[in-house]
Amino acid sequence: MIPLVKPYFPPREELMPALEEILYSGYVATGQPVFDFEDRFKVYIGNDNIISLHSGTDALHLAYILAGVKPGDEIISTPMTAEPTNTSIAMIGAKVVWGDVDPTNGLLDPKSVRSLITEKTKAIVMVHYAGMVCDMDEFTKISKEYNIPIIEDAAHAMGSKYNGKMTGCNSAYTIFSLQAIKHMTTVDGGFLAMRDGSQMDRARKLRWFGLSKDKSRLDNDITEVGYKYAMNNVNATIGLCQMKHLDEVIGTYIANGKYYDEALKNVPGIQMVRYNNNTECSYWLYTMKVERRDDFCKMMEANGIMASQLHHRSDTHSIFKESKRDLPGMEEWYANFVHIPCGWWVNEETRAKIVEVIKKGW
Ligand SMILES: *Cc1c(COP(=O)(O)O)cnc(C)c1O
């Protein structure tokens, strides 16, 4: 079966000696490899204000804290995502307010968000779902107009762009995940990118109990409680090896995505997604809408190709029952969207076969 997601690891000859060296180095906690990995990622994104963390969820939690969200405040979010985008809002004790999604692509709809802003709204979190970038033109306007910070959940969107600039440069906070199935994995890990460098020291303290790495442990005074969110040298060593292959790996997702954009556009029963203006998708999953989705997925499976929705909408969980509201855009989107394999393991022959199978109908 051709899977929808699959972790990429660098060749054994490269990765294993590096891992062996760090494991027996006597220093596996947070040290130089972590700082080196951050430096490499900063260059990749083109933003100096980036810290590494143990997960993308940690990055979301810290982004909400740094954005000044307090218990009882509201964050406008999307149900079309993986759970951590919203469970981390609950961790803060803030209320999730569900924005509706655009039924043509499943991305948070700026018109809906605008209509939900109140004096309690302290942040807007958007998810570049499956690598498709949200309507940043509109969201940037909204953020300026109401002075509300934007948090981009780019767990699916490493390597995507807005106005030619990498995601991670374009709003107050952006989070990335390095979890097993994302574009780049360190087994687990995450990054928090900030547009403004003024909160870097606070962010570094928050990831390490509230302690400052600039002073000795004996001279430290904790003034704000922090967490144990730092990345370790082992994960960072994997990351440093991954960085050498990142352009090629993400380049394959993007090339496959663009191939499908052309090859599937006039196929009966398929409705292509609409990409937002001035954005470039990084195709973590290939996304489209299909008629009779169950039949489509069964037909694909019979041909050895995985196809599914992969994510369950977040607004149906009991912990969010007080946030429940009607979301007509979400209903429309959720009824028909599907993903097909698009990642680094899909070569030219495989993608041609996938298109051929789809064109035969279902
Ligand atoms: C994976 C993911 C996260 C969280 O990342 P972890 O590194 O697993 O904590 C957050 N948001 C979305 C949309 C994700 O898919």
Side-chain angles (χ1 to χ4, degrees):
M1 186 75 76
I2 304 164
L4 274 178
V5 292
K6 184 171 175 176
Y8 172 83
F9 282 106
R12 194 178 292 266
E13 317 80 78
E14 260 177 58
L15 182 59
M16 293 321 278
L19 268 179
E20 189 169 334
E21 198 183 320
I22 195 68
L23 284 171
Y24 294 100
S25 68
Y27 195 172
V28 290
T30 308
Q32 199 55 44
V34 173
F35 310 130
D36 291 347
F37 182 37
E38 286 176 339
D39 287 343
R40 297 286 299 277
F41 195 68
K42 287 174 190 178
V43 172
Y44 174 73
I45 297 292
N47 179 356
D48 277 343
N49 308 316
I50 293 182
I51 64 163
S52 62
L53 295 160
H54 193 69
S55 74
T57 309
D58 299 349
L60 281 162
H61 187 203
L62 292 194
Y64 297 142
I65 293 172
L66 292 166
V69 181
K70 298 275 181 326
D73 289 341
E74 294 178 356
I75 299 181
I76 301 175
S77 182
T78 172
M80 193 58 236
T81 183
E83 292 77 5
T85 314
N86 296 307
T87 53
S88 52
I89 296 177
M91 282 165 72
I92 297 273
K95 184 181 175 199
V96 176
V97 175
W98 299 117
D100 204 355
V101 305
D102 181 330
T104 66
N105 53 27
L107 301 175
L108 193 60
D109 178 354
K111 285 194 292 300
S112 164
V113 169
R114 204 177 258 284
S115 74
L116 294 165
I117 293 174
T118 70
E119 69 282 3
K120 285 191 174 170
T121 311
K122 291 292 150 56
I124 297 165
V125 58
M126 66 196 57
V127 176
H128 302 316
Y129 183 77
M132 299 179 280
V133 181
C134 293
D135 187 345
M136 296 301 293
D137 285 346
E138 278 308 308
F139 282 115
T140 307
K141 269 191 222 156
I142 292 174
S143 174
K144 283 203 182 117
E145 208 176 307
Y146 293 92
N147 195 24
I148 296 173
I150 281 176
I151 295 154
E152 294 177 60
D153 180 339
H156 297 180
M158 192 180 286
S160 67
K161 291 182 180 166
Y162 170 58
N163 274 342
K165 279 164 85 185
M166 281 281 189
T167 294
C169 298
N170 303 315
S171 31
Y173 307 96
T174 305
I175 76 97
F176 296 95
S177 167
L178 307 171
Q179 187 265 343
I181 62 173
K182 306 298 162 71
H183 281 109
M184 169 165 73
T185 184
T186 56
V187 178
D188 257 321
F191 282 114
L192 170 62
M194 290 168 275
R195 196 174 40 203
D196 169 4
S198 65
Q199 288 184 306
M200 286 287 281
D201 281 343
R202 187 172 170 218
R204 284 201 192 93
K205 285 187 191 171
L206 283 169
R207 79 173 165 186
W208 200 47
F209 307 119
L211 290 164
S212 168
K213 284 256 178 204
D214 301 336
K215 293 184 194 144
S216 98
R217 197 109 176 199
L218 300 175
D219 294 329
N220 250 293
D221 177 33
I222 294 176
T223 53
E224 179 183 26
V225 65
Y227 302 86
K228 189 175 186 264
Y229 283 174
M231 180 175 278
N232 63 55
N233 281 353
V234 181
N235 295 123
T237 296
I238 299 173
L240 281 165
C241 290
Q242 290 282 31
M243 287 303 301
K244 296 186 191 133
H245 303 272
L246 189 58
D247 282 331
E248 198 188 331
V249 170
I250 294 189
T252 307
Y253 284 85
I254 293 174
N256 286 336
K258 289 192 164 157
Y259 171 84
Y260 289 137
D261 281 344
E262 280 305 310
L264 296 174
K265 69 182 172 198
N266 295 316
V267 176
I270 290 182
Q271 193 186 333
M272 306 301 272
V273 294
R274 186 188 61 79
Y275 300 111
N276 282 309
N277 290 340
N278 307 319
T279 70
E280 291 169 50
C281 183
S282 65
Y283 301 91
W284 180 55
L285 300 161
Y286 192 78
T287 312
M288 57 196 188
K289 292 171 92 173
V290 289
E291 283 169 15
R292 294 176 290 104
R293 180 173 56 196
D294 286 350
D295 294 345
F296 176 84
C297 292
K298 276 192 204 119
M299 176 283 288
M300 293 292 273
E301 199 185 324
N303 283 282
I305 306 159
M306 185 79 192
S308 88
Q309 301 98 291
L310 205 67
H311 295 98
H312 192 276
R313 58 191 291 174
S314 284
D315 57 333
T316 52
H317 291 291
S318 295
I319 56 165
F320 299 125
K321 61 178 182 293
E322 278 161 32
S323 299
K324 193 105 194 106
R325 54 186 291 271
D326 282 344
L327 301 168
M330 184 66 186
E331 296 304 331
E332 189 181 334
W333 166 254
Y334 203 67
N336 297 103
F337 86 96
V338 74
H339 301 298
I340 60 171
C342 166
W344 62 269
W345 60 97
V346 177
N347 61 25
E348 288 184 17
E349 197 185 317
T350 307
R351 72 191 190 188
K353 181 195 154 197
I354 291 174
V355 168
E356 196 185 309
V357 164
I358 293 173
K359 281 186 169 167
K360 284 190 191 141
W362 60 96

